Structure formats: structure tokens, C-alpha cells
Amino acid sequence: MNILPKKSWHVRNKDNVARVRRDEAQAREEEKERERRVLLAQQEARTEFLRKKARHQDSLPELEAAEAGTLSSRPVDLFRELLEEGKGVTRGNKEYEEEKRQEKERQEKALGILTYLGQTAAEAQTRPPWYQLPPGRGPPSPGPGPDVKIKNHLDPLREMQKHLGKRRHSGDDGGHSRKEKKGSENQPKE
């Protein structure tokens, strides 16, 4: 029985394929519209920011010129302050920044995130992974090892000897055997 094509939920049904294509096209259009709105909003924000900055920059040279008493006709130099302060060099504690960079690098190396160009992940680690290390063959530990203890504990011959030893010790009561004990119990006491 081939009833699958007759089911309304079948994925290869022509109606369902058309519906999926229509939904995908609609989703693409919505995504394009959303991206267009985002770009428009970013562009408007940028132009507004630049307008405010330009108004602020225009008012500053006029104020400076008014204070100096002369109107300057030279072009606006946007990077003059940076060049006067330290020639574009940022100020800060260089030693602290170097320590932070080294600490971050050390942490990334420890996690395996930081690798250099041409370096494999195994080379980046400070020591090889556990599965590449040879098995530990250090000096033998004092006393019997865990295998010997287990073997001695589970040894059937040792168990037999232990039980025989108990039997011998319980049987040592002056050289009398069991039969003699039983016979002595049946005799009347004097």
C-alpha cells in the first residue's frame, strides 16, 4: 500500500513544497527589509553624529579666534591635539600592559586556544597529552603491590590452608580424637 503521497503532511507533496518555497521567499524578503532598516538607522545616526561634531568643531575655532583676537584662515586640523600631546602615542603603563598581554597569552596557551602560524595543537601544548606519554614505570613501591594483595586474598589454596589450620588447632586437646571424646561422655562418672 502506497498511501504516503495521499497524506497532507507528506514533505514531497506539491502543495507542501510550494508552501515551503513561499515561506522561504517571504522570510528572505523580511530579512532584507530588516537589514535595510538597520542600515538606514545606522546611516542616520552617523550623519547626525558627524553634524553635531562639525557644529562643535566650527564653534571651537571661532571661539579660539575670538579669544586670540584674530580670525584664522588656515584649514581645520583634526589631529593637531594628538600630535601636540605625544605624537600619536597612547599613554599608559607599558610594563603593566606587557604583563597583561603575557598573562593572557599564557592562559590561552594553557587552554589550547593560542597557536601560532604553522604550529599544530600538539606542539602548542607545554606537555604532550596523556595518551602520548609512555606508561609510568617508576621504582616499585615498598611492600606487595595491589595485584599481589588481591591474588593472595582470592587464592583458593591459601583459603584451604587457613581452614585446615583452624581445624588442627581446634583438634589439639591433648591427643584425644573425637571418638574418644564421645566414648568418654557415655561412660558413667565416678
Side-chain angles (χ1 to χ4, degrees):
M1 290 177 63
N2 192 5
I3 61 172
L4 190 57
K6 295 177 176 63
K7 298 294 182 180
S8 64
W9 48 262
H10 184 48
V11 293
R12 302 207 182 200
N13 189 347
K14 290 180 182 178
D15 295 335
N16 289 340
V17 171
R19 184 182 319 141
V20 167
R21 287 184 181 154
R22 187 176 57 243
D23 290 346
E24 288 175 348
Q26 182 181 359
R28 278 193 299 270
E29 289 299 321
E30 289 174 359
E31 184 65 27
K32 285 180 183 177
E33 179 64 25
R34 194 176 313 124
E35 286 179 10
R36 188 188 65 76
R37 281 192 222 144
V38 167
L39 290 175
L40 183 63
Q42 287 177 348
Q43 182 182 7
E44 289 175 357
R46 250 183 285 141
T47 54
E48 185 63 30
F49 173 74
L50 291 174
R51 283 181 185 150
K52 285 182 181 178
K53 188 176 179 181
R55 285 184 201 133
H56 183 66
Q57 288 292 334
D58 286 344
S59 65
L60 282 179
E62 290 174 3
L63 291 174
E64 290 174 2
E67 290 173 2
T70 60
L71 187 59
S72 128
S73 61
R74 60 184 179 162
V76 176
D77 188 7
L78 300 176
F79 301 104
R80 177 180 36 170
E81 296 152 2
L82 289 176
L83 293 174
E84 289 173 358
E85 288 178 2
K87 301 197 178 190
V89 177
T90 59
R91 293 184 181 184
N93 189 347
K94 292 180 183 178
E95 292 174 0
Y96 176 74
E97 291 173 2
E98 181 66 23
E99 287 176 8
K100 288 289 261 184
R101 187 188 61 77
Q102 287 177 353
E103 177 69 20
K104 183 179 177 186
E105 184 176 317
R106 187 183 60 79
Q107 287 177 348
E108 289 177 352
K109 277 186 180 179
L111 293 174
I113 298 172
L114 179 65
T115 55
Y116 295 105
L117 184 63
Q119 185 179 28
T120 64
E123 292 172 349
Q125 295 178 347
T126 56
R127 55 183 200 162
W130 64 269
Y131 52 85
Q132 287 184 345
L133 294 174
R137 301 192 196 275
S141 60
D147 291 339
V148 175
K149 289 180 182 177
I150 292 172
K151 286 180 183 177
N152 287 340
H153 180 70
L154 298 175
D155 186 16
L157 185 59
R158 192 163 186 235
E159 288 290 321
M160 292 294 292
Q161 289 174 350
K162 186 168 54 171
H163 288 296
L164 286 175
K166 286 181 183 178
R167 193 178 223 181
R168 284 184 187 147
H169 291 296
S170 64
D172 291 343
D173 52 345
H176 297 288
S177 66
R178 279 190 171 180
K179 290 182 182 177
E180 292 175 0
K181 280 187 178 180
K182 286 183 181 177
S184 63
E185 290 174 0
N186 293 337
Q187 292 178 356
K189 291 186 181 179
E190 296 178 21

